[in-house]
Each structure stands twice: as structure tokens, then as C-alpha cells.
Amino acid sequence: MTLPIFGPISLSGFKNPWFFLFLIVVIALAALYVFVQVARQKRMLRFANMELLESVAPKRPARWRHLSAILMVLALVLFTVAMAGPTNDVRTPRNRAVVMLVIDVSQSMRATDVAPSRLAAAQEAAKQFADQLTPGINLGLIAYAGTATVLVSPTTNRDATKAAIDKLQLADRTATGEGIFTALQAIATVGAVIGGGDAPPPARIVLMSDGKETVPSNPDNPKGAYTAARTADDQGVPISTVSFGTKYGYVEINDQRQPVPVDDETLKKIAELSGGNAYSASSLEQLKAVFTSLQEQIGYETLKGDASVGWLRLGSLVLALAALAALLINRRLPG
């Protein structure tokens, strides 16, 4: 069943679908009305002189005389839908959630294939993400290269996070796994402090990087990125990875051009293992679009809300029209 103003309807979208059994009563009433009308017509034809009946009976528009009954049945159907408890999706801001922003600051982030540089683009997009994120969410910041450092513990103070983003410094090597493990530890710590529910607060890691992990060389090692991603999945913390850069990126090391192509596959695997999503961007505009999309996903949750009020209002309107039609056309209320 579909109505333009209410959208598609299915039994799974109702709190009390057993109320639809009342439609049997509605159908029975409609059938009884038809039966009574047919029986009345037969009695009139059997015993009445048609010429005399036409001369004394008030003329009523035969085409419209059943309108009030039809509207009454429609109103009962609408009230039945309302009693069944229809629901709709309601987006509500998250308040207890924790998001850890984990940013790669390895030397490959000096590449300028994303203007003005990969790191500068990441900083600008990350600050936009912090500004757009739902105010009640606790946002933390971790920078990692050969080691990982918590620059800002999860907090609702966006100014502190943005100030730390502006101060990011490049360093050698890339320990992606350590960055993830450090984020998980920060989430566990703040979760114990926040409280406010039987379960830990929902959490998400947003990992920004452009390249393959170098420490350790095997991501399946105990401290590797894939191991960390599996641990995140076990703890119910999905990782949204954002890879940015192009395959033509390079950096200058000792007057030598060193290629640093973006490594999408590693980040896709991290997202897959953790139950998260992978995104990629090759320009600042694309990077900002990715963070806008992430903010929509992370900042809000979709809950089932009550949608019965609209059906009750529509049913009441149709019921009033049924009464009006009975008075104007049939000169009496339906009964």
C-alpha cells in the first residue's frame, strides 16, 4: 500500500499490525450496506407503483447518494491504519557517540598532487568535519607516523580539535595499526567516563591516510593494520577510511624524486575488516564532500518514530466529509 503523503507501507513498519484484523469488520459492514441497499430496492420494485412513487418520492441524485457511506468506510480504514501504529524513520542527533579522527602525518603527506599538499588538504577538510559534526558528539584527534599520539582526547570542544589539526607535523614511517590501536584505547577510556547507558557509547574511527603501512611491514602482524581492524570489529567500532591522493604523487628526498602513489586497497581492506566504509578522494573538493557524507552518517542515527497522527487527522477529515455528504445529499446522517 502506498499513499503519496505517507510513503510506502508494509506490515514491518507497524507497531501493532494485528489491528488490521479490524478491516474484516469494515469489509463486513460494507457488504451489509450493499445487501441492505439491494434488498430495499427489490422491496420497492415489488410492492410500489413506479409512476406513483416517482410522483411522491423526493428526487435524490442516485449517483451520489452512496457517497456518505463510501466516505464512512474509508474513514474506518484510515482509523484502522492509525490503530496499527505506523512508523517512519526519524533522524536524531547523536549525543553520547565518540569519533576518533586518526590522521596520517608520514612524509608522503608532503606530496602536492592534492593542492596545496596532501597534509594541508587533510587539515582543511578535517577542520570542516569538526565544524559540521553534531555538537553533542565527542571528537578526538590522533596523529600517527612511526608512532601514534593522542593530540586531543574525545571532547565536544571543537576549538581544541581544530587548533591541534593546525599544528600537525610530518614525521617518518607509517604505523597505521598503532594509530588504530591508540584510537581504540582512547574510545574505551572515554566510554568509561561518559556512562549514561547500559551499553558503551557508539563509536567510530575516521582514518585518513594516503599510503601503505610500513611499520610493521606485514599488516597481519600483531601490531599491524589488519589485526587492528579485526580488533576494532570485535569491539564494535567500525573504521571509515579516507584515502586521498593520486597514483602520480611524489616527494623530493635528497634531491631525488620518490613516487608515493596512493594505496586505496590497504585502506579498503581495513574498512572491510572493521565493518566500516572506504572512501577515496583525489582533490580537496572531493575530500570535503567525503567528510560531509561522513558527518551525515556519524552525526545522526535513524530511529522509528510514531506516524499515526497523520492517519488520524486524515481519518477525522474524511469522517467529517461523510457527515456533510449525508446531510447535504441524503438529508440525514448515515446510520
Side-chain angles (χ1 to χ4, degrees):
M1 186 189 305
T2 303
L3 286 183
I5 59 174
F6 295 103
I9 304 167
S10 66
L11 290 180
S12 61
F14 292 87
K15 296 178 182 177
N16 309 303
W18 55 84
F19 270 107
F20 281 113
L21 293 174
F22 185 72
L23 289 177
I24 298 175
V25 177
V26 177
I27 294 172
L29 288 174
L32 179 61
Y33 178 83
V34 173
F35 174 78
V36 169
Q37 294 300 315
V38 171
R40 179 183 298 175
Q41 187 71 16
K42 286 182 178 180
R43 287 198 303 271
M44 291 176 61
L45 292 175
R46 183 180 302 174
F47 300 108
N49 183 314
M50 294 304 300
E51 294 181 358
L52 178 61
L53 183 63
E54 290 179 359
S55 65
V56 298
K59 296 194 179 291
R60 296 178 181 175
R63 180 178 301 177
W64 298 102
R65 66 190 181 92
H66 301 298
L67 177 61
S68 61
I70 293 172
L71 290 174
M72 180 71 73
V73 170
L74 178 57
L76 289 175
V77 171
L78 294 172
F79 287 140
T80 300
V81 174
M83 289 189 298
T87 60
N88 59 1
D89 291 337
V90 179
R91 293 177 71 251
T92 58
R94 298 181 188 272
N95 289 319
R96 293 179 61 243
V98 179
V99 175
M100 292 303 301
L101 190 57
V102 183
I103 301 180
D104 178 0
V105 292
S106 60
Q107 292 293 340
S108 60
M109 295 289 283
R110 291 193 288 117
T112 57
D113 54 337
V114 179
S117 71
R118 291 179 180 179
L119 180 59
Q123 288 172 307
E124 184 172 343
K127 286 190 291 184
Q128 174 183 297
F129 176 73
D131 281 331
Q132 293 179 345
L133 197 60
T134 305
I137 288 182
N138 295 277
L139 178 63
L141 176 66
I142 290 175
Y144 76 94
T147 59
T149 304
V150 178
L151 299 180
V152 179
S153 296
T155 177
T156 56
N157 184 350
R158 300 291 185 258
D159 290 336
T161 303
K162 291 189 292 183
I165 290 172
D166 281 331
K167 296 177 182 178
L168 291 176
Q169 298 292 324
L170 296 169
D172 295 334
R173 302 186 298 173
T174 308
T176 306
E178 185 170 344
I180 296 172
F181 279 123
T182 304
L184 291 174
Q185 183 177 2
I187 289 170
T189 301
V190 75
V193 174
I194 292 176
D198 296 331
R204 177 80 63 94
I205 294 174
V206 178
L207 174 65
M208 300 178 61
S209 180
D210 66 344
K212 184 180 298 184
E213 182 178 46
T214 61
V215 181
S217 58
N218 183 354
D220 284 312
N221 282 354
K223 293 186 178 182
Y226 294 168
T227 303
R230 295 185 185 97
T231 303
D233 183 50
D234 292 339
Q235 296 181 12
V237 182
I239 303 174
S240 295
T241 60
V242 183
S243 60
F244 57 99
T246 69
K247 61 182 179 179
Y248 307 108
Y250 67 91
V251 294
E252 297 283 348
I253 300 178
N254 298 325
D255 296 328
Q256 297 291 322
R257 178 176 291 189
Q258 177 67 42
V260 285
V262 65
D263 180 17
D264 291 322
E265 294 306 314
T266 296
L267 294 176
K268 286 180 181 178
K269 186 66 177 293
I270 291 172
E272 178 185 344
L273 291 173
S274 69
N277 300 309
Y279 303 87
S280 60
S282 58
S283 67
L284 177 58
E285 289 71 23
Q286 290 179 352
L287 190 57
K288 287 183 176 180
V290 167
F291 273 102
T292 297
S293 176
L294 279 172
Q295 192 280 138
E296 289 295 315
Q297 294 178 31
I298 298 172
Y300 297 86
E301 60 182 333
T302 302
L303 302 174
K304 290 295 183 181
D306 180 33
S308 61
V309 174
W311 294 95
L312 286 171
R313 289 175 178 170
L314 186 58
S316 299
L317 176 61
V318 174
L319 183 62
L321 291 176
L324 181 62
L327 289 173
L328 295 180
I329 299 174
N330 300 334
R331 303 292 190 241
R332 61 185 177 87
L333 290 173

